Amino acid sequence: MLELLKELCSVAAPSGSEGLLHHVIKREISPYADDIKTDVLGNLIVHIEGKGPKVMFAAHTDSIGVVVTHIKENGMANFARLGDFDTYTALHQRVRFTNGTTGIVSCEAGTLKDLKTSDLFIDFGTDSREKTEKLIKIGQTACFIGEFSHYEGRVCSAALDDRAGCCVLIETIKKITNPKNDLYFVFTAEQELNSRGAKTAAGSINPDYAVVVDTTCGKASLGSGAIIKVMDESFIVHPYINELISSVCDENDILHRYEASMGGYNDAGCIHQNKDGVPSGCIAIPIRYRHTPCEMIDMSDVGNCSRIIEGLIEKGF
Amino acid sequence: MLLRDLTSIGGVSGDEGAIRRYIYNNIKNRFDSIKVDGMGNLIAFKKGITGEKKILLAAHMDEVGFVISKICDDGFLKFKIVGGADPRLLVSQRIKLVKDGACGVIGYKAMQLQDASERERTAGIDNLYIDIGASSREEAEKRVSVGDYAVFDSEYREFGDECIKAKALDDRAGCAVLMSLPDVRYDFDLYVVFTAQEETGARGAKVISETVTPDMAMIVETAICSDVYGTDEKDYVTIVGEGPALPLIDGATYFDRPLTEQIHKIATDAGVPVQYEKTARGGTDAGAIQLLDGGIRTVGISMPARYIHSPVTVISKQDYNNCCKLVALVLQNLQL
């Protein structure tokens, strides 16, 4: 799983450009899927047929990033945020555009004390608007570069949120035999822009149940097990789903903890409000330094999340 | 004159009736059917020759305005803002009551009586009131009720280098563009939707899928334009006179890039000036429409407008005309 995770993290796919990751996912899961399609918003929807109620699993493919809003006379480019991150986090980071161009984020003189996004700009090493325009255009997007490294199960990289979740879904798909439910695995788009992809994916699938795999930077420490979200800012877990997850964990002796928080968003926030409501849950991978180029997770937590999802599919909804 | 008429009518979010009637009467002979849905959206339909695809155009009818919230003992009226008007620009504005066109002014304590700290602050909405010249509650109650609407009292004016100043150009300008579409039948089914309650959160747009799920939606709006004194070039967003603007991303929508690039090419090939909206802020009906059902391919064409949500919104006549031109060209040439 480590090699797959590394490959997924290496693709520059900020919100809006999720399609750039699809070839990797398709390559992995094509032999196992009954149907694969991409929808208008850029969701990759994988269907594994089965009788029984429809269950939608989701993990988001987009990472945080930036979008160019202006190219200055001196060749520097101003930008807006795609998703939520700290201005100081962006400072002096390298960014990679979807067309391969790279640049460095810097700031206007004297703005360090109270740094705003409008004080930041990207330096391409050019000195003129004309030269920069040969590299990128207004509206082009980039994500942060953060080298993938690992040591004894701890992984550090950009984009672990939520490529790690995507890994969980990919590995799960490969292990499915005799599903008890009609299964949809959605690699969602634009989660960092308020779960827009999840909303439309749920709108077209109309699932009976949903479970999201995302990351959480709440209180849990790395290596302490999969996090079962009871509540975050976007949703409250449905009691039936909570019960189901709980029994899967007990029956299979899976290390897990519960989390209730006033903060944090995940795709379940939009999915559970589809049509007349969808009982939904979220399994989360604990993460440090979320939404930075150096996010950190523990592979044992990813493993435990996988076991929960596999257990849910095995048990059936 | 279309823009003059449209901007003169009072139609605040939730009270779009007068605008809807005007638009209906103007367009009724050019469409196969027209209906009004439960939210007050006006939906005009023209069947396509093959009807293989469905295209939806949208502009919103409602404007930013005021609702009377209380009639005071002394005949003054308290009010709330409907939509996103900046409360700082309200002091000393002229308003008109929608129901009878009666005039009023938004007043505040005389400057001479304000202390130093009051002079440094802008008056919050709680300190403002509407003066309709009534000397008592009884007199006021004869003329107005709680829940009545008011709009900015601002006449349509042409000035300067082909500029237009008026209230409600956001988005009567968009409505005017849709009303000026060539009267032709296209290959695709055409839905022209004049939405209600956009300014209060795209509420009308949210129910459109009950009528139609199009293959593509194009929102015709006004674009943020701050190419003015005191703004850094990087924050202009759009520039008046440089043509209709294509949004790439705003606070609610990541627009369809391939379709937007096609529209850009259609414009440049035809020699129509065009620009991009250089921002990631704002929000329009696109925010609701793109996410309907399983997702709808959504683009926008906007007219740069200075001082949106104020009584003195300014657009360029040329940008308006070029916007009309571009929308027509897109309907003619777009490949879905």
Side-chain angles (χ1 to χ4, degrees):
Chain A
M1 226 205 269
L2 209 56
E3 282 312 306
L4 176 62
L5 184 56
K6 182 174 179 177
E7 191 183 0
L8 289 171
C9 290
S10 71
V11 178
S15 304
S17 299
E18 294 85 354
L20 296 170
L21 200 65
H22 289 177
H23 70 285
V24 179
I25 302 173
K26 280 188 200 173
R27 184 196 71 211
E28 293 291 308
I29 54 92
S30 288
Y32 310 91
D34 292 310
D35 184 54
I36 302 172
K37 69 173 193 218
T38 324
D39 76 1
V40 166
L41 246 70
N43 294 308
L44 184 68
I45 302 174
V46 178
H47 183 201
I48 295 181
E49 287 164 18
K51 297 201 190 337
K54 272 190 207 171
V55 182
M56 172 177 162
F57 293 95
H60 70 92
T61 44
D62 59 322
S63 69
I64 49 153
V66 298
V67 55
V68 171
T69 53
H70 178 68
I71 300 171
K72 301 206 282 198
E73 208 51 73
N74 64 1
M76 309 294 170
N78 295 106
F79 60 86
R81 286 181 283 191
L82 287 172
D84 196 30
F85 54 86
D86 197 53
T87 46
Y88 292 96
T89 300
L91 187 59
H92 299 139
Q93 295 303 329
R94 292 191 178 196
V95 291
R96 176 178 288 120
F97 283 79
T98 53
N99 69 355
T101 305
T102 58
I104 299 166
V105 177
S106 186
C107 67
E108 303 289 354
T111 57
L112 262 183
K113 274 239 171 82
D114 185 21
L115 194 62
K116 300 184 182 50
T117 310
S118 54
D119 298 324
L120 297 170
F121 53 82
I122 301 169
D123 183 348
F124 297 91
T126 61
D127 296 311
S128 71
R129 176 178 281 159
E130 214 193 315
K131 287 196 184 147
T132 297
E133 280 173 349
K134 292 200 171 87
L135 297 170
I136 55 111
K137 301 190 309 188
I138 301 295
Q140 275 191 264
T141 60
C143 60
F144 294 103
I145 298 176
E147 190 186 287
F148 187 98
S149 64
H150 64 97
Y151 176 71
E152 293 192 351
R154 292 280 157 103
V155 170
C156 181
S157 173
L160 287 171
D161 171 27
D162 185 30
R163 306 287 160 82
C166 292
C167 248
V168 168
L169 292 196
I170 291 171
E171 293 302 313
T172 301
I173 289 169
K174 292 176 182 174
K175 291 184 183 153
I176 295 173
T177 53
N178 298 320
K180 295 190 171 71
N181 294 98
D182 196 22
L183 301 173
Y184 288 84
F185 294 87
V186 187
F187 297 88
T188 60
E190 299 189 25
Q191 186 278 335
E192 301 290 3
L193 304 179
N194 291 329
S195 292
R196 293 177 195 159
K199 184 176 198 294
T200 58
S204 64
I205 293 168
N206 287 312
D208 298 298
Y209 303 100
V211 177
V212 171
V213 185
D214 208 327
T215 60
T216 181
C217 55
K219 296 214 170 85
S221 38
L222 304 192
S224 62
I227 298 298
I228 300 160
K229 282 203 180 200
V230 173
M231 172 176 125
D232 70 14
E233 196 167 344
S234 65
F235 93 121
I236 296 173
V237 71
H238 190 279
Y240 167 65
I241 301 291
N242 205 27
E243 257 301 311
L244 196 66
I245 295 172
S246 190
S247 50
V248 163
C249 287
D250 292 340
E251 284 158 22
N252 297 283
D253 205 22
I254 302 172
L255 188 62
H256 66 285
R257 281 177 192 234
Y258 293 92
E259 179 182 276
S261 165
M262 302 272 279
Y265 286 82
N266 76 86
D267 279 339
C270 276
I271 298 169
H272 84 289
Q273 294 186 64
N274 186 59
K275 282 275 158 68
D276 55 355
V278 181
S280 305
C282 174
I283 314 290
I285 301 158
I287 193 168
R288 281 185 201 162
Y289 324 125
R290 196 178 61 122
H291 289 183
T292 70
C294 49
E295 297 173 332
M296 187 188 285
I297 59 173
D298 191 307
M299 290 308 286
S300 71
D301 297 325
V302 179
N304 282 317
C305 285
S306 283
R307 292 179 63 207
I308 294 177
I309 302 295
E310 285 158 27
L312 285 169
I313 291 173
E314 183 57 46
K315 193 175 174 83
F317 290 71
Chain B
M1 200 245 138
L2 192 58
L3 270 178
R4 181 194 301 273
D5 288 348
L6 283 173
T7 54
S8 306
I9 297 171
V12 180
S13 312
D15 187 42
E16 296 92 351
I19 268 288
R20 196 166 42 235
R21 277 186 291 280
Y22 178 92
I23 295 174
Y24 173 80
N25 285 324
N26 184 293
I27 66 168
K28 64 187 176 193
N29 297 321
R30 289 183 267 148
F31 288 89
D32 297 323
S33 71
I34 304 182
K35 79 167 200 184
V36 178
D37 73 14
M39 283 299 289
N41 298 312
L42 181 70
I43 302 164
F45 169 66
K46 187 181 289 196
K47 184 107 191 66
I49 298 166
T50 61
E52 271 167 22
K53 302 267 181 187
K54 299 183 175 68
I55 293 189
L56 182 146
L57 302 182
H60 67 91
M61 297 182 285
D62 57 318
E63 67 188 284
V64 159
F66 315 98
V67 67
I68 306 304
S69 58
K70 182 178 175 182
I71 301 171
C72 301
D73 287 338
D74 39 19
F76 296 110
L77 313 175
K78 299 296 276 177
F79 65 96
K80 302 288 184 198
I81 306 174
V82 179
D86 186 345
R88 292 172 302 173
L89 59 72
L90 294 183
V91 184
S92 302
Q93 292 296 346
R94 298 190 294 217
I95 60 97
K96 266 196 175 144
L97 295 176
V98 173
K99 75 177 177 197
D100 59 5
C103 295
V105 295
I106 297 179
Y108 185 45
K109 183 196 245 185
M111 192 190 87
Q112 295 84 344
L113 303 177
Q114 294 174 25
D115 64 38
S117 68
E118 279 173 309
R119 286 190 201 198
E120 261 156 48
R121 288 195 309 266
T122 51
I125 183 137
D126 291 337
N127 297 313
L128 298 174
Y129 53 88
I130 291 174
D131 181 351
I132 52 167
S135 49
S136 68
R137 170 196 288 278
E138 289 71 36
E139 207 195 305
E141 280 173 348
K142 285 191 196 123
R143 299 170 49 196
V144 86
S145 312
V146 168
D148 282 356
Y149 285 93
V151 290
F152 287 118
D153 179 3
S154 166
E155 263 182 46
Y156 173 97
R157 275 245 173 82
E158 295 184 14
F159 73 107
D161 202 6
E162 299 254 294
C163 284
I164 296 168
K165 156 260 176 192
K167 69 162 178 75
L169 281 166
D170 171 18
D171 184 27
R172 303 287 163 76
C175 292
V177 170
L178 297 192
M179 292 165 74
S180 308
L181 289 175
D183 188 11
V184 298
R185 199 169 292 276
Y186 299 96
D187 217 41
F188 47 82
D189 283 349
L190 178 66
Y191 290 82
V192 178
V193 184
F194 300 88
T195 62
Q197 299 187 37
E198 186 275 344
E199 298 288 5
T200 43
R203 292 177 185 164
K206 283 188 179 147
V207 306
I208 292 300
S209 52
E210 292 300 312
T211 297
V212 59
T213 301
D215 296 288
M216 183 193 96
M218 176 164 20
I219 316 302
V220 184
E221 258 278 18
T222 48
I224 300 172
C225 180
S226 197
D227 60 341
V228 298
Y229 174 84
T231 307
D232 203 87
E233 195 200 343
K234 68 170 162 41
D235 298 319
Y236 284 174
V237 180
T238 58
I239 296 174
V240 161
E242 292 204 353
L246 309 181
L248 293 165
I249 177 172
D250 67 23
T253 312
Y254 190 105
F255 290 86
D256 189 301
R257 287 301 170 90
L259 285 178
T260 302
E261 290 311 310
Q262 246 201 79
I263 294 172
H264 193 270
K265 187 162 193 307
I266 288 170
T268 47
D269 285 350
V272 175
V274 70
Q275 57 185 309
Y276 289 108
E277 286 188 38
K278 295 165 65 179
T279 182
R281 295 198 190 195
T284 67
D285 276 339
I289 292 174
Q290 188 195 41
L291 304 185
L292 293 174
D293 290 344
I296 293 170
R297 300 191 74 182
T298 305
V299 296
I301 299 184
S302 310
M303 289 155 278
R306 294 176 187 154
Y307 331 124
I308 283 179
H309 294 176
S310 84
V312 295
T313 305
V314 169
I315 64 169
S316 137
K317 253 190 179 174
Q318 283 168 8
D319 288 342
Y320 167 73
N321 288 328
N322 281 322
C323 185
C324 289
K325 224 186 246 180
L326 184 54
V327 173
L329 280 169
V330 169
L331 292 179
Q332 206 63 49
N333 297 300
L334 196 75
Q335 301 294 318
L336 258 187

